[in-house]
Amino acid sequence: MPKTTAKNPHDRRMQATAEKLRAALARLTGRSAEYPAAPTRRLTVAALAREARVGRNAIYANHRDILDDLARALQRQRVPSRIATIADKVAEQRVVIDDMQRQIRQLATENAGLMRRAIEAERWAERAERRSAQLTREIDAHRRPAILRSTQP
């Protein structure tokens, strides 16, 4: 923004305040060589006023363009934090997915073992039924009345 020469003291004061505010905004957003960007600094009108050492009312009353610049800086600051939040959620979901896939593999292995045991138990039951049927036939054969032959001529 090119500097314009102020005609009266009021205009010079307004111009000096605007320069202070722009420099303070540059410091708060890390666009100043003196202060690198600090992620913990909050961009608020109060923070801007403290940094520039001017009253908040002066910003609201006379420097609306600075408020627009502050809003744009806030928007730029929010976008990376949203991306980081989304990336964190994706990472958490990947961990959950990996855990669930591990559980699926474990359950599939356990299911295969149970199926093998069930098939084996069915075979034993089938053998036991055949053996039971065989024993029942043998018992029935032993219980049949035997014909006694008489020894008379």
Side-chain angles (χ1 to χ4, degrees), residues 101-128:
Q101 286 176 339
R102 183 187 55 75
Q103 288 177 358
I104 288 170
R105 285 191 303 272
Q106 183 180 1
L107 290 171
T109 302
E110 188 176 334
N111 190 34
L114 291 172
M115 286 296 292
R116 183 182 50 77
R117 289 176 61 191
I119 290 170
E120 188 176 307
E122 287 175 355
R123 286 182 188 152
W124 281 12
E126 191 176 303
R127 276 190 243 137

Side-chain angles (χ1 to χ4, degrees), residues 14 17-18 21 45 49 53-67:
M14 290 281 287
T17 303
L21 288 169
V45 175
R53 295 186 177 152
V54 298
R56 281 185 309 160
N57 288 340
I59 297 171
Y60 286 117
N62 302 319
H63 300 283
R64 301 294 294 178
D65 58 327
I66 298 291
L67 288 175

Side-chain angles (χ1 to χ4, degrees), residues 13-132:
R13 191 171 51 248
M14 290 281 287
Q15 186 176 1
T17 303
E19 288 173 8
K20 284 183 191 177
L21 288 169
R22 291 201 189 285
L25 185 60
R27 286 191 301 272
L28 286 175
T29 58
R31 294 180 182 218
S32 171
E34 301 170 20
Y35 300 96
T40 57
R41 287 187 181 175
R42 291 188 47 179
L43 292 179
T44 62
V45 175
L48 179 62
R50 271 192 306 274
E51 184 69 25
R53 295 186 177 152
V54 298
R56 281 185 309 160
N57 288 340
I59 297 171
Y60 286 117
N62 302 319
H63 300 283
R64 301 294 294 178
D65 58 327
I66 298 291
L67 288 175
D68 295 338
D69 292 344
L70 181 65
R72 281 192 290 279
L74 273 170
Q75 187 62 28
R76 282 192 305 269
Q77 194 177 50
R78 282 186 189 139
V79 169
S81 68
R82 284 185 193 156
I83 291 172
T85 302
I86 291 170
D88 290 343
K89 286 181 182 177
V90 167
E92 288 173 10
Q93 290 172 350
R94 282 193 179 134
V95 168
V96 170
I97 288 170
D98 290 343
D99 187 46
M100 287 181 172
Q101 286 176 339
R102 183 187 55 75
Q103 288 177 358
I104 288 170
R105 285 191 303 272
Q106 183 180 1
L107 290 171
T109 302
E110 188 176 334
N111 190 34
L114 291 172
M115 286 296 292
R116 183 182 50 77
R117 289 176 61 191
I119 290 170
E120 188 176 307
E122 287 175 355
R123 286 182 188 152
W124 281 12
E126 191 176 303
R127 276 190 243 137
E129 281 182 28
R130 282 196 307 261
R131 179 70 177 142
S132 176

